[in-house]
Amino acid sequence: MYSNIINTLNKNKLLRTVNDRETSQGRVIKINGRDYINFSSNDYLGFASNKNILNAAKVAIDEYGFGAGASRLLSGGIKLHNLLEKEITLLKGSESALLFNSGYTANIGAIAALTSQEDSIFSDELNHASIIDGCRLSRAKKYIYKHNNPAHLEKLLKSVTSRVKLIITESIFSMDGDIAKLDEINNICIKHKSLFYIDDAHATGVIGKGKGSLEHFGIKANNQIVQMGTFSKALGSFGGFITASNNIVEYLVNSSRSLIYSTALPAPVIAASLSALSHLKKHPELINKLKNNISLCRKYLKESGFYVDKYDTPIIPILFNSVEDTLKASDYLLENGIFAPAIRPPTVKKPRIRISISADHSEEDIFLLISTIKEALSSLSLTPATVSHSNE
Ligand SMILES: *Cc1c(COP(=O)(O)O)cnc(C)c1O
């Protein structure tokens, strides 16, 4: 049965494979003996191979060893875990924080714990798989609202009465790079006395001076807002977090299954995350460099006739009309030394090349990327999809 499924996927050009690197994450990566300029990493600030951060991890191994040996609730935590939680509350302006083993387990653990049968969840239709899985694990009623559409959200909210109403959105959407209308959604949450859950995976270290989406919108953290984030993207490390009111965090310690029943993160991982946060504070110019690269790439794409939306985020999708076209284009980029793989269903509805910009890219890298995409389109006679990918 499984081989039939694999054959069908292969026939439909939807079979995925892993691409393992031979070098560290960074601007240039080596795969199968060949160097590529890397446009497919979430390591937006180049922290994953930053020497200071790596050293912090090495020092922590010497002091605390490697494996944590148990869950946080037993003997798995060290004082660095707690220190990192304090740093996160400072970054996010909230009362309290709780580490999880990844962003994925933060979402499934927190969403499932915050809601049960008597509750309802309102979730953006383009929310990440980890949010969808959290909703599935929860016994709450689910309502999916149209992408980044506060009016539709409010219409659904008005039609429902329940104990907790949990509204969930990503801030920067991971596959489209657009930004949720957090100010409008926040007002709706206040009006309808709902809990607001924001997935800041791609916003932390990127917007709002690196603090994330609330800072970007000038919204103050409060007891009705739950912020989720990850150390694995702009911070170049690994692990997830939830930051919220004291009450909510204490409740999650007692009810999040992905926290309670899993071994704590190893000391070097926590030390790397701490070092990344300190590096972020000391080097605001890196965020500016990232911003300049983003503007350059978006501007040049627009001038070259591509549809580019108004959001200044490092995630820039180029949509195609078919999976086949997308694969042809990404293969052409590969042959020319550029790593920007196709993203296909079921990860996204519309196939695309998803460009990720980093502060480490040079202007030449970005020019090369776009001229190679243009070349790919003309030599393969491809046209990008004309539909806009977000509702502006
Ligand atoms: C990557 C991502 C996650 C998961 O974070 P990890 O730390 O990689 O597990 C959650 N939500 C969104 C929106 C993401 O893009």
Side-chain angles (χ1 to χ4, degrees):
M1 145 166 155
Y2 301 114
S3 60
N4 284 343
I5 295 173
I6 290 169
N7 289 339
T8 310
L9 284 173
N10 200 13
K11 213 172 65 201
N12 295 328
K13 300 198 182 301
L14 293 174
L15 189 69
R16 305 158 193 231
T17 52
V18 292
N19 291 303
D20 291 336
R21 275 180 283 114
E22 288 143 41
T23 50
S24 63
Q25 183 61 274
R27 178 188 153 256
V28 176
I29 50 174
K30 184 179 282 203
I31 295 173
N32 291 328
R34 173 152 188 204
D35 281 347
Y36 297 94
I37 300 177
N38 183 8
F39 283 97
S40 89
S41 163
N42 305 312
D43 178 28
Y44 300 118
L45 300 171
F47 280 13
S49 48
N50 177 285
K51 290 279 182 306
N52 290 320
I53 299 171
L54 301 187
N55 267 334
K58 288 175 194 169
V59 169
I61 291 183
D62 288 341
E63 192 161 347
Y64 296 100
F66 194 84
S71 152
R72 252 337 252 303
L73 277 69
L74 298 173
S75 64
I78 51 173
K79 59 185 190 202
L80 294 186
H81 285 80
N82 188 254
L83 197 57
L84 183 56
E85 285 166 347
K86 292 217 167 91
E87 287 297 323
I88 281 298
T89 61
L90 293 176
L91 186 79
K92 299 288 184 177
S94 48
E95 278 181 1
S96 196
L98 184 59
L99 301 180
F100 285 79
N101 288 352
S102 67
Y104 183 90
T105 63
N107 272 339
I108 60 167
I111 295 167
L114 289 171
T115 52
S116 66
Q117 274 115 320
E118 294 129 279
D119 308 321
S120 332
I121 297 174
F122 301 80
S123 178
D124 187 289
E125 67 177 328
L126 291 191
N127 274 344
H128 191 259
S130 55
I131 296 173
I132 296 171
D133 292 357
C135 294
R136 283 183 183 157
L137 282 174
S138 157
R139 311 234 172 94
K141 272 223 169 89
K142 290 107 193 166
Y143 301 85
I144 308 302
Y145 65 89
K146 290 187 190 133
H147 178 52
N148 205 3
N149 188 326
H152 187 224
L153 165 64
E154 186 159 34
K155 197 170 148 208
L156 290 175
L157 268 170
K158 277 183 184 155
S159 69
V160 173
T161 46
S162 71
R163 193 180 62 172
V164 174
K165 294 179 180 182
L166 182 68
I167 293 162
I168 310 181
T169 186
E170 289 177 43
S171 49
I172 296 181
F173 283 88
S174 63
M175 289 296 145
D176 289 74
D178 54 337
I179 302 180
K181 295 169 182 157
L182 291 191
D183 43 356
E184 288 180 48
I185 300 174
N186 187 45
N187 288 337
I188 291 171
C189 287
I190 293 167
K191 188 166 147 198
H192 293 271
K193 299 189 171 54
S194 310
L195 201 54
F196 192 12
Y197 186 106
I198 301 165
D199 179 329
D200 242 7
H202 291 274
T204 305
V206 174
I207 58 172
K209 302 186 196 83
K211 294 177 179 215
S213 60
L214 286 191
E215 177 80 18
H216 175 81
F217 280 94
I219 300 170
K220 270 211 154 50
N222 63 47
N223 288 351
Q224 291 300 105
I225 294 181
V226 177
Q227 300 176 73
M228 170 272 172
T230 174
F231 298 100
S232 66
K233 285 169 182 159
L235 295 170
S237 176
F238 189 71
F241 62 83
I242 296 286
T243 177
S245 67
N246 289 329
N247 262 334
I248 285 182
V249 168
E250 193 173 3
Y251 170 74
L252 289 178
V253 169
N254 286 278
S255 53
S256 265
R257 295 170 66 84
S258 64
L259 171 88
I260 300 169
Y261 299 105
S262 191
T263 299
L265 285 172
V269 173
I270 302 296
S273 298
L274 273 167
S275 175
L277 286 179
S278 128
H279 203 69
L280 183 71
K281 253 191 257 171
K282 281 190 215 138
H283 295 281
E285 77 279 3
L286 288 172
I287 297 175
N288 288 333
K289 174 85 196 311
L290 174 63
K291 271 192 189 151
N292 290 343
N293 281 349
I294 292 168
S295 307
L296 183 75
C297 186
R298 287 178 174 268
K299 181 169 154 262
Y300 189 29
L301 275 171
K302 221 178 272 174
E303 283 168 11
S304 304
F306 289 92
Y307 169 80
V308 183
D309 66 24
K310 65 183 177 186
Y311 303 96
D312 279 334
T313 68
I315 301 164
I316 311 172
I318 297 185
L319 275 69
F320 288 88
N321 294 305
S322 68
V323 167
E324 207 161 11
D325 284 2
T326 319
L327 286 174
K328 278 189 198 159
S330 69
D331 284 348
Y332 188 96
L333 293 179
L334 268 185
E335 283 157 22
N336 287 280
I338 288 173
F339 198 77
I343 313 262
R344 294 169 280 174
T347 304
V348 291
K349 273 200 205 115
K350 298 171 191 161
R352 68 198 62 192
I353 288 177
R354 172 182 178 271
I355 299 169
S356 290
I357 298 294
S358 154
D360 274 354
H361 287 132
S362 66
E363 290 193 5
E364 292 74 40
D365 294 339
I366 291 168
F367 288 135
L368 182 69
L369 166 76
I370 297 170
S371 60
T372 313
I373 293 175
K374 279 167 37 181
E375 239 173 68
L377 295 186
S378 63
S379 70
L380 300 166
S381 305
L382 300 176
T383 37
T386 49
V387 280
S388 81
H389 56 274
S390 58
N391 69 322
E392 285 175 61

